[in-house]
Amino acid sequence: MGRTLFTKVWDAHRVAALSVTRDQLFIALHLVHEVTSPQAFQALRERGLAVKYPQRTIATVDHIVPTLQQQIRPYDDSLAEEMLQALETNTREFGVRFLGLGSDHQGIVHIIGPENGLTQPGMTIACGDSHTSTHGALGAIAFGIGTSQVRDVLATQTLALERLKVRRIDVVGQRSPGVYAKDIVLRIIGTLGVKGGIGYAYEYGGPAIEDLSMEERMTVCNMSIEGGARIGYVNPDQTTFDYLRGRPFVPTGEAFDRAVHAWRDMASDTDAVYDDRVTIAIEGMAPQVTWGINPGQVVGIDQPLPQPDELPAEEREGALQAYRHMGFEPGRKLLGEPVDVAFIGSCTNGRLSDFRAAAEVLRGRRVAAGVRALAVPGSRRVKRQAEQEGLDRVFHDAGFAWREPGCSLCLAMNPDKLAGRQLCASSSNRNFIGRQGAPHGRTLLMSPAMVAAAAVSGSVADVRDFLRGERHD
Amino acid sequence: MTETRGATFRRMQGRGLVLPGNDIDTDRIIPARFLRSITFTGLGDQVFRDERFNSDGTKRHHPFNDERFRGAEILVVNNNFGCGSSREHAPQALHRFGIKAIIGVSFAEIFAGNCTSIGLVTATLKEPEVVELQRRIEEDPTVVLTIDLETLTLSFAGKTEPLTMNPAARSALLEGTWDTLEQLLRNEDEIDQVHRRLPAFSTLA
């Protein structure tokens, strides 16, 4: 009977059984950032413990860093300054490699892992951030953890965990121009629901997933958590190996060939048995946009917003609350809804391919008057590469602010925030109430190209109109 | 939390606090701006901050401000509670507010795990039973709820309902091993064995 990648990786990293249902699992790579780690390091100090394998622990700073004048210390925000100083002290004191602001490798933790080749197939990866599922794009079992678990990994390089069930999600059909990885994952969450993945790891496959680039696969895996799944992954294939070759932490020469051999073996067997299987068809699918207060409240850009009484009973109350918060009406379309802010960035869509896709829309166009538009690269490397391609000029000429790397307006722990009831076209992952830094602020999740289209239109737009060249704003 | 490390939970009694709504995310439980701290101290005051208070600091109508529920220790929620961010600040904020157990229809996974690792009970009931429980508490907030982890039951007002709970979380709470670190530290040799066995894929090893 065939085994899944999940099972193979789990078994390879299993240290011991802790109880009938709980295993102790070795964590091959622990990623650390400033928000969820200070209390964990403090707990180690209080118990007189060291970091077990500092060489398997990598830290960076991303959530609280400003995207303007990032290098000027101390920060105006004394709380942010205190957090950064804590991470500097903790990494120095415990001997952990810190890819901080002085490093060429700094950036959002889920962007720098893959781009530096720290993330590799067959690994177990943990980080105190729910979007750790991103790393599954490379065939790793990667999950978000809380601060007590960050402490556990620091002290023992292991976690107490229960095995998940595995749901295979086959995505089939040709995607239309203007439809991106973000649209695919929003469709998956819209179909299976925001709690549909509880208890499951999502294995993404099928022709439409195999066709995606590595960066696009990361976008899909990134949002697994928004569908309730703690883990999402794609089996490693030639696309994965081609992506990894030559990255800083990846072995070279013969060692690379040996690694590829091992990575290939980690993929799910063709006769692997799954706990559940679903197929999602994307043929003819329009770009997707959220209209509510969770990522499952999503429609095609050409579709009317749902009538609450036509929704499944358990979604009705949430829909009514969403309509109250967003101020939209059932039955209408979002097309033409004026936006105040446009944000391209985050661990979901802050990679080079995202800025390229948005630049394709922005080239030769201008952000509409009154729209505040922010482009925030996910890492220094993304920023540098984008600038080498001249993308920063495209964004700048269009009227976007081109910023320093960080999490920025995704969760607004730095000075980038919405104000009042502003409506934001956002390439990020969460449209939760208050997520972008204002209790009454409103978020529409969409692909970076759709954000660019909204920015130049001044309102929610269909990016397909721009790509066809039918609109010349 | 360190002060209760190793405590075992068998039975607990307390009054209920009804928080209706599905998909209540951790950004709502504790907004991101309160994560700008290197400790968890003080989070109890900020729980549901943006829903409990207006921008001028005046109180809004919210279950966590409701005098009838003051001192209640058992939170009763609906579907997919604690979804979103992995921030342990969310269970920490609830715990520090005074919540000792949460009963709901379903919980987001990381949230439930975070609750267990600080000794906060999460247990589930079927939807109609949760709705009925919420109705009863709303009707009479003085009703005392008893959670028995050994028999996995909830008793209130002369009724007893079977609870469902993640078996690992349940045994960890019953045995006082919910603070996982001590347990993990015991297997040092086995950890080192796995470390040596893992392929040296990268310059990390």
Side-chain angles (χ1 to χ4, degrees):
Chain A
M1 197 168 74
R3 296 156 77 218
T4 61
L5 176 143
F6 178 84
T7 304
K8 292 181 191 181
V9 175
W10 190 281
D11 290 349
H13 291 82
R14 192 161 167 267
V15 170
L18 296 175
S19 69
V20 180
T21 56
R22 231 174 201 201
D23 284 343
Q24 182 169 4
L25 200 70
F26 190 91
I27 302 304
L29 174 66
H30 184 201
L31 299 165
V32 171
H33 63 88
E34 75 281 17
V35 181
T36 55
S37 70
Q39 301 88 344
F41 279 111
Q42 189 54 30
L44 257 58
R45 235 177 241 120
E46 284 164 11
R47 294 193 193 193
L49 294 166
V51 173
K52 171 81 174 162
Y53 289 120
Q55 70 272 35
R56 290 185 175 273
T57 314
I58 303 277
T60 193
V61 60
D62 51 12
H63 287 65
I64 53 98
V65 292
T67 57
L68 282 175
Q69 301 188 315
Q70 194 169 71
Q71 305 280 354
I72 299 176
R73 304 274 303 276
Y75 290 150
D76 291 339
D77 178 349
S78 60
L79 296 174
E81 176 63 29
E82 190 181 11
M83 292 178 85
L84 180 45
Q85 282 184 19
L87 187 59
E88 288 167 337
T89 306
N90 288 333
T91 50
R92 196 169 51 237
E93 198 175 302
F94 286 92
V96 169
R97 189 194 300 242
F98 179 41
L99 306 176
L101 294 171
S103 155
D104 276 349
H105 300 293
Q106 177 266 339
I108 304 177
V109 68
H110 311 308
I111 302 230
I112 65 168
E115 76 179 8
N116 286 301
L118 288 162
T119 304
Q120 296 176 16
M123 274 183 167
T124 48
I125 300 177
C127 172
D129 189 289
S130 60
H131 292 104
T132 309
S133 60
T134 311
H135 306 265
L138 291 104
I141 294 304
F143 37 82
I145 54 177
T147 298
S148 296
Q149 291 178 305
V150 171
R151 173 205 63 192
D152 289 355
V153 186
L154 288 173
T156 69
Q157 203 62 37
T158 65
L159 282 171
L161 290 166
E162 285 144 86
R163 219 177 256 267
L164 296 163
K165 293 182 284 185
V166 182
R167 171 178 293 147
R168 165 80 177 192
I169 299 175
D170 280 292
V171 183
V172 300
Q174 188 76 33
R175 59 177 157 144
S176 313
V179 172
Y180 301 86
K182 182 66 155 287
D183 302 298
I184 294 176
V185 71
L186 284 172
R187 168 57 74 90
I188 292 172
I189 298 164
T191 305
L192 301 176
V194 289
K195 66 181 178 68
I198 293 180
Y200 283 100
Y202 278 176
E203 176 179 303
Y204 302 101
I209 295 293
E210 285 159 20
D211 273 355
L212 296 177
S213 69
M214 275 318 302
E215 295 202 342
E216 291 173 313
R217 292 178 188 184
M218 288 179 219
T219 299
V220 173
C221 289
N222 173 276
M223 290 193 61
S224 302
I225 189 75
E226 312 308 342
R230 195 167 185 182
I231 288 169
Y233 68 89
V234 177
N235 284 307
D237 62 8
Q238 199 55 46
T239 303
T240 322
F241 312 140
D242 292 344
Y243 174 88
L244 282 166
R245 190 189 300 273
R247 294 193 180 262
F249 286 86
V250 172
T252 54
E254 254 181 67
F256 181 78
D257 299 335
R258 278 199 304 278
V260 167
H261 191 74
W263 293 339
R264 225 184 265 285
D265 279 350
M266 278 300 185
S268 295
D269 297 326
T270 46
D271 60 344
V273 177
Y274 297 95
D275 299 288
D276 190 32
R277 290 192 83 129
V278 293
T279 300
I280 307 272
I282 58 161
E283 194 80 43
M285 184 179 86
Q288 305 286 300
V289 57
T290 63
W291 55 271
I293 53 173
N294 72 52
Q297 292 171 326
V298 62
V299 288
I301 185 65
D302 50 3
Q303 296 296 307
L305 304 188
Q307 298 287 350
D309 54 9
E310 289 168 7
L311 291 170
E314 67 170 47
E315 289 175 24
R316 274 174 219 160
E317 179 227 300
L320 291 172
Q321 195 190 358
Y323 282 122
R324 275 197 302 278
H325 180 77
M326 299 300 286
F328 301 148
E329 281 158 30
R332 53 156 295 193
K333 291 181 184 177
L334 281 181
L335 262 181
E337 181 70 31
V339 300
D340 305 292
V341 179
F343 170 61
I344 300 177
S346 84
C347 60
T348 312
N349 283 121
R351 285 171 282 268
L352 188 60
S353 56
D354 299 312
F355 293 99
R356 282 180 181 155
E360 205 177 316
V361 175
L362 294 176
R363 212 166 259 124
R365 296 192 172 99
R366 287 284 305 168
V367 170
V371 175
R372 178 182 180 223
L374 282 184
V376 184
S379 70
R380 287 190 186 282
R381 186 187 169 102
V382 170
K383 181 169 189 278
R384 190 170 59 243
Q385 288 182 333
E387 289 171 359
Q388 279 164 3
E389 292 183 14
L391 298 181
D392 58 323
R393 292 311 314 167
V394 176
F395 280 91
H396 182 79
D397 292 348
F400 263 81
W402 179 255
R403 293 290 183 85
E404 299 292 324
C407 298
S408 182
L409 195 50
C410 175
L411 86 170
M413 280 187 72
N414 76 342
D416 303 335
K417 296 180 200 306
L418 299 186
R421 287 197 80 235
Q422 281 183 329
L423 185 65
C424 180
S426 182
S427 67
S428 56
N429 41 56
R430 287 185 174 143
N431 50 350
F432 297 157
I433 295 174
R435 171 74 177 180
Q436 292 193 285
H440 304 288
R442 299 170 298 153
T443 304
L444 303 175
L445 302 178
M446 57 185 81
S447 73
M450 283 283 283
V451 174
V456 299
S457 304
S459 59
V460 178
D462 188 337
V463 69
R464 294 175 298 183
D465 294 342
F466 290 82
L467 298 177
R468 289 183 201 124
E470 288 169 12
R471 274 179 71 155
H472 301 282
D473 296 60
Chain B
M1 285 185 309
T2 48
E3 62 266 29
T4 51
R5 185 188 310 158
T8 58
F9 294 81
R10 300 195 178 280
R11 264 169 111 242
M12 79 165 59
Q13 285 195 325
R15 287 182 294 112
L17 195 170
V18 176
L19 184 71
N22 295 325
D23 308 318
I24 292 179
D25 59 75
T26 52
D27 273 89
R28 284 170 65 186
I29 299 171
I30 188 81
R33 63 185 185 279
F34 300 114
L35 275 53
R36 283 157 48 252
S37 170
I38 58 170
T39 71
F40 291 129
T41 316
L43 285 178
D45 297 335
Q46 312 300 352
V47 69
F48 289 106
R49 173 77 202 189
D50 291 338
E51 301 182 8
R52 286 168 62 204
F53 298 96
N54 294 308
S55 48
D56 62 3
T58 53
K59 279 188 181 178
R60 297 172 63 178
H61 180 66
H62 188 275
F64 276 68
N65 286 339
D66 194 330
E67 283 301 318
R68 296 177 308 145
F69 297 142
R70 182 189 279 271
E73 294 177 323
I74 300 175
L75 181 62
V76 186
V77 300
N78 298 89
N79 252 299
N80 198 28
F81 186 75
C83 59
S85 159
S86 64
R87 62 189 70 164
E88 190 174 303
H89 305 69
Q92 289 276 2
L94 291 167
H95 206 34
R96 284 161 196 263
F97 181 84
I99 301 299
K100 300 212 165 42
I102 314 176
I103 293 173
V105 183
S106 64
F107 297 95
E109 231 158 275
I110 301 177
F111 176 83
N114 284 340
C115 285
T116 306
S117 62
I118 63 169
L120 183 55
V121 175
T122 52
T124 59
L125 274 176
K126 293 234 180 317
E127 185 142 31
E129 280 74 40
V130 165
V131 173
E132 169 63 11
L133 174 62
Q134 289 178 325
R135 196 186 61 78
R136 289 301 300 266
I137 298 169
E138 280 286 354
E139 218 170 67
D140 177 11
T142 66
V143 66
V144 173
L145 317 183
T146 304
I147 296 175
D148 188 324
L149 287 194
E150 278 186 324
T151 58
L152 256 191
T153 52
L154 169 75
S155 311
F156 64 99
K159 287 175 67 167
T160 299
E161 302 278 2
L163 287 170
T164 311
M165 203 175 164
N166 174 306
R170 179 185 174 219
S171 60
L173 289 160
L174 280 171
E175 293 159 12
T177 55
W178 45 268
D179 182 338
T180 42
L181 184 52
E182 295 303 323
Q183 222 183 345
L184 297 175
L185 281 167
R186 277 180 221 143
N187 296 324
E188 198 168 357
D189 292 345
E190 291 86 344
I191 296 171
D192 291 334
Q193 278 169 27
V194 175
H195 176 61
R196 280 194 298 272
R197 196 176 71 216
L198 283 177
F201 284 152
S202 74
T203 51
L204 279 173

